[in-house]
Amino acid sequence: MELNNKSLFKEKCFVNGQWEDGQNNNRIEVNNPATMEIIGKVPNFTADETKSVIEYADNAFQSWKNTTAKERSIILKKWSDLIVDNVDDLAKIMTVEQGKPLAEAKGEILMGASYIEFYAEEAKRVYGDIIPDPRPGKRIVIIKQPVGVVGAITPWNFPNSMITRKCAAALAVGCTTVVKPASQTPFSALAVAELAKLAGFPDGVFNIITGSAKEIGMELTKNPKIKKISFTGSTEVGKILMEQSASTVKKMSMELGGHAPFIVFEDADIDEAVEGALQSKFRNSGQTCICTNRLFVHENVYDVFLEKFTNGVKKIKVGNGLDEGIVSGPLIDKSSLEKVIDHVQDAVNIGAKIAVGGDVHPLGGNFYQPTVLSNVSTKAKITFEETFGPVAPVYKFSNDEEVIKMANDTPYGLASYFYSRDIGKIWRVAEALEYGIVSINNGLPTIPEVPFGGVKESGMGREGSRYGLDDYLIIKYISMGGI
Ligand code: ADP
């Protein structure tokens, strides 16, 4: 990998301001999902080593929590600037380990930096409250304080921005962090740590460790010095972490799976709906938790939408994300590919028609063809399970009540999308959808200024916006008498 700044590629963990190999000789190999080549190895930290990292983070917390918001803001802003300055190298590292096209990787890095910039500014606006006391001679004061050491466990689909979105908010309010990135994409995380060091975070404030998810996850959840777990990943693992954290009653943010509906009403602008569906379905090869998973199209516009959408999908250029003009990269690994193959076969076996794609890509490896399925049965697996791949099942509906019921018929509740120009319908549907995010006439709802998060089994807590700070703060009520 040709990098301008070679110091960004680190094969060590970042602990208490130092780069560490760990004791374990059995290191984790990381591969390029487009070529299957091994690109490097990272340490395999043990539970005991994780425990010492938590000690460092706890020591650092004792002084970091007493820094001023302005001091923290200056370091955060510098970190954000350094990420922007190194965007080309960071994007290259990301594409090589994650597979997403270079332009998309750059977009993620800049978004990752903008979360930090946002929280550098928001750090200064953590206000308390004074509540009028009904009792004479007494006063009620509310202050907000950092919760403590945060354990952050992050996924491979957004190897940069899921770390910055969590950590910027945590660090802004005075928490310290121990991050465990996904083993598929540790190099993007470690590169960001190198820049955190340059930005001037004191030792122990920001730490990144790699290793067995189970072993590190167990220590992070059971250790009483960790006061908060912030997780982005599958609902299945989120439930395990909640159970494990119960014994120490930790504060939790859970950003879990989704099964986003995308509804095209009869009065929608069809071209805009097609554009939005292409963005929200095929970004990151369908591997985002807010990716459209089920398209519901009104019967009167079904044929025209399907034709235009299918034509759009035919134009998606698949390949190695480092190559010019590529819009869709490989899936992250073989098991992800197998799930996509299984979902398509199952749908086709019970009547779905393939409008385009429907098979592994001639490139081989982890590549799958961008696919549109029509006539999909509501009994197909794809109707109920998150596919996490480039497959769009399209269903027909005839009235609002029916489609809202179908859209809500899932344990998930992260993002939902719909297209309409009817103001009355827009309000009714937005209020009826059981989702944390309702995106109307817009295929890309994620930016730092908004509270991102789900309901039902998609999780709890919010990331981004001023609400995102609450997840790392405790509310303290100070009762004052004798006045
Ligand atoms: P995905 O299926 O998208 O890979 P996962 O929920 O399995 O999602 O992974 C998200 C993150 O959770 C990754 O960092 C992964 O290493 C971590 N993880 C997986 N299993 C566990 C576990 N038992 N305890 C803690 N972390 C885990």
Side-chain angles (χ1 to χ4, degrees), residues 300-320:
N300 291 349
V301 291
Y302 185 88
D303 291 340
V304 56
F305 176 87
L306 187 65
E307 190 191 339
K308 289 187 174 193
F309 182 54
T310 303
N311 286 340
V313 174
K314 282 180 185 158
K315 293 191 191 120
I316 296 175
K317 208 167 154 199
V318 179
N320 185 326

Side-chain angles (χ1 to χ4, degrees), residues 295-366:
L295 287 117
F296 300 107
V297 184
H298 191 273
E299 57 190 3
N300 291 349
V301 291
Y302 185 88
D303 291 340
V304 56
F305 176 87
L306 187 65
E307 190 191 339
K308 289 187 174 193
F309 182 54
T310 303
N311 286 340
V313 174
K314 282 180 185 158
K315 293 191 191 120
I316 296 175
K317 208 167 154 199
V318 179
N320 185 326
L322 289 180
D323 296 340
E324 196 63 34
I326 295 300
V327 182
S328 187
L331 292 166
I332 190 71
D333 54 25
K334 196 155 182 287
S335 68
S336 298
L337 180 74
E338 279 164 1
K339 186 172 188 192
V340 172
I341 294 171
D342 176 52
H343 275 196
V344 173
Q345 274 177 359
D346 169 76
V348 169
N349 286 346
I350 52 174
K353 293 202 171 66
I354 297 168
V356 58
D359 207 346
V360 293
H361 198 277
L363 286 169
N366 295 334

Side-chain angles (χ1 to χ4, degrees), residues 27-296:
R27 294 163 71 82
I28 301 174
E29 287 183 345
V30 181
N31 76 12
N32 176 338
T35 62
M36 306 296 190
E37 282 162 348
I38 304 294
I39 54 177
K41 293 181 187 176
V42 291
N44 199 344
F45 262 42
T46 61
D48 274 350
E49 286 169 306
T50 305
K51 197 170 174 182
S52 345
V53 183
I54 296 169
E55 297 283 336
Y56 288 128
D58 189 49
N59 287 338
F61 177 62
Q62 305 315 321
S63 44
W64 183 247
K65 68 180 177 188
N66 292 325
T67 54
T68 64
K70 173 118 181 169
E71 285 169 317
R72 295 192 297 273
S73 171
I74 290 168
I75 301 176
L76 281 162
K77 180 68 172 60
K78 192 150 179 217
W79 191 25
S80 168
D81 290 344
L82 285 166
I83 291 176
V84 173
D85 291 347
N86 288 277
V87 62
D88 290 331
D89 282 344
L90 294 170
K92 215 176 271 177
I93 293 172
M94 188 186 294
T95 294
V96 168
E97 69 178 352
Q98 201 276 344
K100 69 176 68 177
L102 209 48
E104 213 176 311
K106 276 187 196 168
E108 181 187 336
I109 304 288
L110 296 177
M111 178 78 86
S114 65
Y115 281 111
I116 304 176
E117 183 195 54
F118 181 87
Y119 282 118
E121 293 156 353
E122 207 61 17
K124 301 175 212 164
R125 291 186 273 273
V126 178
Y127 302 142
D129 250 327
I130 294 177
I131 299 174
D133 201 312
R135 303 158 299 182
K138 295 191 176 178
R139 300 288 185 271
I140 299 166
V141 179
I142 308 301
I143 63 168
K144 292 182 184 169
Q145 293 180 303
V147 62
V149 185
V150 175
I153 301 178
T154 57
W156 49 261
N157 58 348
F158 290 97
N160 173 294
S161 64
M162 292 302 101
I163 293 175
T164 61
R165 185 158 82 178
K166 293 179 190 311
C167 294
L171 297 167
V173 299
C175 295
T176 57
T177 56
V178 178
V179 182
K180 207 297 288 174
S183 300
Q184 293 94 330
T185 56
F187 293 121
S188 295
L190 296 167
V192 158
E194 169 71 6
L195 298 174
K197 187 174 165 74
L198 283 179
F201 286 103
D203 292 351
V205 166
F206 179 75
N207 307 276
I208 296 206
I209 55 174
T210 55
S212 150
K214 276 202 178 116
E215 195 167 335
I216 294 174
M218 185 66 85
E219 184 61 35
L220 288 175
T221 48
K222 297 276 180 186
N223 191 309
K225 289 199 162 132
I226 294 277
K227 295 293 188 288
K228 151 109 195 174
I229 292 286
S230 180
F231 172 71
T232 299
S234 61
T235 295
E236 186 191 350
V237 172
K239 288 178 183 176
I240 296 173
L241 298 175
M242 287 175 79
E243 268 184 50
Q244 288 174 186
S245 300
S247 62
T248 48
V249 192
K250 296 192 197 308
K251 197 171 161 81
M252 313 212 82
S253 293
M254 291 279 140
E255 202 67 73
L256 309 177
H259 198 36
F262 186 107
I263 308 169
V264 183
F265 287 101
E266 193 181 358
D267 66 303
D269 179 319
I270 300 299
D271 291 329
E272 279 186 17
V274 166
E275 191 55 36
L278 290 169
Q279 289 169 333
S280 91
K281 174 68 255 183
F282 293 99
R283 194 163 60 101
N284 208 354
S285 300
Q287 303 172 109
T288 89
C289 46
I290 62 164
C291 270
T292 288
N293 273 313
R294 299 167 291 152
L295 287 117
F296 300 107

